[in-house]
Structure formats: C-alpha cells, structure tokens
Amino acid sequence: MKVLLFSEGKKLFSKSGVGIALKHQMQALKHTDVAFTLDPRDNYKLVHINTLGPKSWKVLKNAKEKGIPVIYHTHTTYEDFRNSFLFSNQIAPFLKKQLIKRYSAADYLIFPSKYTEGLIRGYGISTPGFVVSNGVDTALFRRNETLAKEFRNSFNIKTPLIVNVGLPLKRKGLIDFAEVAKRFPEYRFVWIGAKFSAIQPLSIRNVIRKSPENLLFPGYLSFEMLLGALSAADVFFFPSYEENEGIAVLEACSMKCPVVIRDIPVYQDWMISGENCLKASDIDGFCEAINILLRDRDLAMKLGEKAVNTAQDRDLRIVGKKLKEVYLNATGGANE
C-alpha cells in the first residue's frame, strides 16, 4: 500500500502547525511498512490530504474519479481560523462553507483530537472518522543542558525564563502573554515563532513593537535553538484560546517543561491541572500559576516528569501504527 500525503504551499506552511503535521506523518510512517509519496503524479492506493487550497480539491476530485479512497485531515476549523491574520474573521464564514464541502466529500476524516471531532460534527458533517494525535518525536525532543546554556548565553538570559512557541497571533494569546510579561519585569519572556508581520493586524504588530523590555521575539529559530530554549525554560506558557491539539504543548511535555496553559476544552481529557500541567483562565490566574512553578521547583519537576508520560503516549511510533490502522480501514484491509 502506497499513500499520497498531500499538502500544498509547503514553503508557506512549513513553519505552521499544518507543515509540522505533514513532517510528523512522514516520520511516523517511516516506523511502519506503509510506503508514501508526496507527488500526486505517482501511483498510490490512498490519498491523505492536509490542506484546503485549489490543488487539494483537484487531488480529491481526481482520486474520486479513479475510485481511490480519500482521507482528509481536519487541521483547520472555523474556530481556530478566526482571530489569526488580517481579515480572518471576515473570511471565516466562507471558509466554513469550504470546510463542510471538503470534509463531506472525503471518504474518511482524521481528527487531531476528540475536541476537533466534536467541532466538525457540529457543522453537520457525518463522514466517518478517526481521532489520531499529530504526535511528537520524543526521541528528538529531549532536554539538552548544553543547548540550554548556549541559548541563555546567546540572549544573555540570567533570570528565570518563560517560553512560548507558535505564530504570534491574537488567537494564540499573544496579548495575554505580553501583559503577563509586563507584570514580571524581573523575568525573561521569549515568544518563538515566525512573525508574518505583513499579514498581521496592526494591533498585533503594535503588541510586538511595543512589547516590554523583558519580552523577546526572536522569530523562527533553528531546531537546535528551539531545543535550547525548551531545555532552558523554567516554564512553558501557552495561553492559546483555541487549538485542535497543540503540537507545541506536546513538544514542551516531551522536554519535561512545566506547562501553563489556558483552561480550554481541547485539553480536557489529557492535560490535567495539578497532574501534568497548571491551567488558568485569565491573566491573574496565569501569573499565579507561573509564580507557583518558579517558587515550588519540586512541583515543577513533578509536573514535568508526568508531562513526559503524556508525550510518550503520543509518540510518532504510536501515531504511525494508528495511521496504518486508519489506512487499512479506508482501503478495506488490503496492505498491498
């Protein structure tokens, strides 16, 4: 069995969650006997689509005409598209119509979480589907004290360090992150992620431009620098308002980072406050959670250890096995 893993705009999306998810699928399948291709001109028995552009629709239609089963990965929802880029809220209702059209036309769906499955079902879509985590490579995302020291030295950081990873969007909680940084001028805050400033609303560009001195936006970093940041972090603070899973959270968990997240439904059944993270719902709550972790290092260590178990449950080797099960189901069990 050969699978077409299809994503368009690979360069554009390479630094986004969708781009990372495609890389994860490729890595996960390398741990199985399932062959894959990225070229729609190749021969394949199954199509697995990740994006929503016109080329994706063409690939879907061509596959249907040939009787090839199509799986659509529901990385995008109406809810997580809003409050992202310029005019995203105005475009969101039209996007929702496209989501319904695309996801309904597929033979099967893959949901990154139970929460996302609930959202998609709420659109009235009844296409059969499976919940499969985007996963994390726990062999790669491991603490590295040498890289931690290099990261701190690179940015001259000698104080407690609070890190976030993701595109700097309103939906990701950028405004809250900046406000929390203002309340802790004695700590260093770092938000890692490509800025895409040209398509950011002016209000978000202003937050970045007028951020407090203790808040750093280094942009997109190399993998080694990212590992260094997560290894050096005293707290991973991820105040996102809406996620379909949260790959960055999984990566932080794999690195034994004490995690502070917003109390939103997507984490309900796998991120438990006081067990593998701390949750809060507003700026005061985030400040309290960060204070607790910086003062109680035993608790921080305990949460980090438990977080590793959470990541291991979603390791790419496990994801690969689940993808293979989905593919076999979609092709009637023929592992050709």
Side-chain angles (χ1 to χ4, degrees), residues 22-95:
L22 173 63
K23 293 177 184 176
H24 283 189
Q25 290 160 18
M26 295 165 61
Q27 292 168 357
L29 291 181
K30 287 176 182 177
H31 296 293
T32 73
D33 59 352
V34 176
F36 65 87
T37 179
L38 304 180
D39 186 354
R41 296 167 298 182
D42 207 339
N43 294 317
Y44 42 84
K45 298 289 185 180
L46 179 67
V47 175
H48 180 168
I49 300 176
N50 288 280
T51 48
L52 292 165
K55 292 181 181 178
S56 299
W57 182 239
K58 183 178 179 181
V59 166
L60 184 149
K61 288 197 299 182
N62 287 343
K64 299 287 279 186
E65 288 172 3
K66 296 176 182 177
I68 298 174
V70 175
I71 294 172
Y72 228 119
H73 213 123
T74 62
H75 297 297
T76 304
T77 63
Y78 167 82
E79 288 77 8
D80 84 334
F81 185 79
R82 297 178 74 253
N83 296 317
S84 296
F85 304 104
L86 274 173
F87 308 117
S88 61
N89 288 6
Q90 290 83 356
I91 297 170
F94 302 98
L95 173 79

Side-chain angles (χ1 to χ4, degrees), residues 244-259:
N244 284 318
E245 183 178 31
I247 293 175
V249 173
L250 284 176
E251 292 171 349
C253 286
S254 185
M255 299 286 293
K256 295 186 180 180
C257 283
V259 172

